Amino acid sequence: MTSSVPGEFVRQLSAALEEADMLMRQQISNGAEWVSRFRATLDSFVDSPVTATLHNKPTATANAWLRDALASLDGSTEFVSAVQAAANAANWYQIYNVDAAESGAMRSNMHALAEGMFAAQVIGPRGLIPSKKLLTGLFLLRAGLHYPLHQHEATEIYFCASGKLRIQHGIDTPPQQLIPGQFSLTPSNRLHSLTMGDAPVLLLYIWLGEFGGKNWWWHKDDNGVWQREAWERQPDAVWAKTITEVVPYSELILANKGK
């Protein structure tokens, strides 16, 4: 039944985090404390009632990726069942919209991301259980997709459930491969990028902190100067660019160090 799906999902995700290896542990000094906080927040929702009824499936193409990803899940029987049930019950949606970008490279990047990234919230504003303090669910990405350098206020965990990807923190820090059974932790405002392998990737994500606000995308201009653009979701759910600026020198130094 749908009413038991969120509770079992967060229970199994919390248990998986306890057993899993954290990627880039050496780069995050307080990682253990953050993982404990994430797990405690997940556990607090185990018995929460389901109030949402909206259910949308991803597009036909993305649904084929999802089938492949679910068929490749690795973990205990309970974990696999919880992820499959959440994928079938939650509300899937396209994260980005093509029309948000005006022209040029940004429009091309946005088009690729709009068609290659889908999410389903289990807990959150669009989740089976509404919440303003926790965002968690499933994140589906097509094979070969590159999610460029970006940063946001929320602290984020990605637990790899299926497929392989490379995640990079900062500009010059070497990327590391994230495989099923491992997770990454990205602190608030830490610059990061994701590059998928040769199969669809299914991540279980968790956000704590500020869910809204600015999502900054970094890129070099034609003169080699680092710039960033702030994108914010509007009341109609469409993303809009609100700021373009040269990256402050102090933040560029931190990004070069992977911080």
Side-chain angles (χ1 to χ4, degrees):
M1 294 177 61
T2 302
S3 59
S4 65
V5 168
E8 190 60 21
F9 178 83
V10 298
R11 181 186 292 110
Q12 293 300 326
L13 179 51
S14 176
L17 289 176
E18 184 178 24
E19 300 294 330
D21 293 327
M22 186 176 81
L23 201 67
M24 298 178 287
R25 186 181 299 274
Q26 70 277 9
Q27 296 181 25
I28 304 172
S29 59
N30 60 341
E33 290 84 353
W34 265 110
V35 173
S36 294
R37 181 177 173 188
F38 273 97
R39 292 191 64 229
T41 307
L42 286 169
D43 293 343
S44 71
F45 282 88
V46 167
D47 297 318
S48 298
V50 173
T51 59
T53 57
L54 183 63
H55 172 54
N56 291 321
K57 290 186 177 182
T59 64
T61 300
N63 201 45
W65 308 337
L66 181 60
R67 287 196 303 270
D68 290 345
L70 292 176
S72 302
L73 287 174
D74 187 20
S76 68
T77 300
E78 294 79 9
F79 174 82
V80 170
S81 295
V83 173
Q84 291 174 334
N88 289 326
N91 180 37
W92 287 93
Y93 60 93
Q94 189 170 301
I95 299 174
Y96 292 115
N97 51 290
V98 179
D99 293 338
E102 297 163 354
S103 61
M106 180 54 72
R107 182 175 178 83
S108 177
N109 285 339
M110 188 67 80
H111 191 278
L113 293 176
E115 295 185 342
M117 293 170 47
F118 293 81
Q121 283 187 17
V122 175
I123 298 174
R126 301 187 185 192
L128 297 171
I129 298 174
S131 173
K132 294 183 179 180
K133 75 172 186 177
L134 174 69
L135 209 63
T136 187
L138 301 96
F139 189 20
L140 177 66
L141 305 103
R142 71 162 172 80
L145 183 72
H146 177 64
Y147 192 3
L149 287 168
H150 62 284
Q151 62 184 156
H152 42 67
E153 288 287 339
T155 297
E156 172 184 78
I157 277 182
Y158 282 145
F159 182 93
C160 186
S162 182
K164 298 178 182 178
L165 68 150
R166 287 180 289 118
I167 182 168
Q168 179 174 354
H169 280 177
I171 295 174
D172 292 330
T173 304
Q176 292 184 267
Q177 184 168 252
L178 186 64
I179 62 175
Q182 293 181 326
F183 71 94
S184 65
L185 191 155
T186 300
S188 173
N189 280 315
R190 176 75 59 88
L191 192 66
H192 58 294
S193 66
L194 308 173
T195 304
M196 308 313 122
D198 58 3
V201 172
L202 184 64
L203 301 173
L204 310 185
Y205 71 89
I206 321 169
W207 275 26
L208 287 178
E210 174 58 53
F211 301 155
K214 299 176 178 64
N215 191 331
W216 291 96
W217 291 39
W218 289 41
H219 63 93
K220 276 186 178 180
D221 65 15
D222 293 338
N223 296 316
V225 177
W226 279 101
Q227 296 198 1
R228 64 181 183 180
E229 298 174 339
W231 294 80
E232 298 183 72
R233 192 179 288 278
Q234 304 304 298
D236 60 0
V238 171
W239 286 87
K241 183 172 65 175
T242 56
I243 301 173
T244 298
E245 66 181 21
V246 174
V247 176
Y249 181 73
S250 59
E251 295 196 31
L252 187 59
I253 294 298
L254 290 176
N256 281 325
K257 296 179 180 179
K259 298 180 178 179

